[in-house]
Amino acid sequence: MAEAAQSRVQSAMKEFINEIDRSKLRGLQRGMHLCAADCHADTMSSMDEVHRCAERCQAPAQRAQQYVQSELEHFQESLSRCVLQCQDEVKDKVGPNTSEGEISKYRREFETCAIACCDKNIQKLPNLLIKLKAAFESGAM
């Protein structure tokens, strides 16, 4: 049951990453490589100038990649905090004299809570995608 929720999160994340890659990052990567190719086509510049030119070409794609990575880390942290809260709630109920039956009940409560965390966080991805695309389109990247 929890494995299915984890699989849904992984699948949603993969879909999210593929969408942001196709819609925004690939264009930046393409532009970076074309820009760098132009730098290397300049036979009048020194090797250092060509290197600096190519580094300037990389900057926008690197900033975008870092921004996406940062947002994905925030997403993962939010999911982890939610699951840890579930764990804390269950731990508070378990004592040294807790019966096996109660432990099984609390384990199911934890699993239900963790699955709800996964589903709740998956539902955040479409808005995160909109936020990222808007940041790209506004030139904030």
Side-chain angles (χ1 to χ4, degrees), residues 15 20 24 40 54 62 67 84 96 98 113-114 117 123 125 129 135:
E15 188 178 315
I20 201 70
K24 300 297 174 188
H40 290 280
Q62 285 176 334
Y67 180 65
L84 284 173
T98 306
C113 183
C117 288
Q123 291 171 3
L125 287 173
L129 187 61

Side-chain angles (χ1 to χ4, degrees), residues 1-2 86-87 89-91 93-94 98-115:
M1 201 159 147
C86 296
Q87 189 175 354
E89 288 172 11
V90 169
K91 272 186 180 178
K93 297 176 182 178
V94 178
T98 306
S99 71
E100 282 299 317
E102 287 176 306
I103 288 175
S104 292
K105 179 182 118 184
Y106 295 143
R107 191 173 288 127
R108 285 190 302 276
E109 280 181 26
F110 167 75
E111 199 167 281
T112 300
C113 183
I115 289 167

